[in-house]
Amino acid sequence: MVRSSLITKLVLLAVAIYAVASLLSMTGRIQDAQAENESLTAQVEAANLENERLRQEIEQYSEESTEDIARDQLGLVSEGEILFYDVGK
């Protein structure tokens, strides 16, 4: 009888140790997941700020300024216009 009581106590001790080890392992995984969540949240916030900056930049350009850029930087002309190059320089 004493022997079965000892075996029962050992089994309960082993189960308790396993439960504690499992909880510690889960705690570590939860902390890792929380750290990853914070990192991803920061990345999303940075991307949102960049998107907002780009939206504001796009809104600054009117049709005229877009046309000016096309003329000055790309050498484009409107329909019906003729482009002359000064080859004397």
Side-chain angles (χ1 to χ4, degrees), residues 51-62 66:
N51 285 343
E52 184 59 32
R53 184 190 69 78
L54 292 171
R55 268 191 208 95
Q56 290 174 356
E57 188 175 325
I58 289 169
E59 289 174 3
Q60 288 177 356
Y61 291 110
S62 66
T66 303

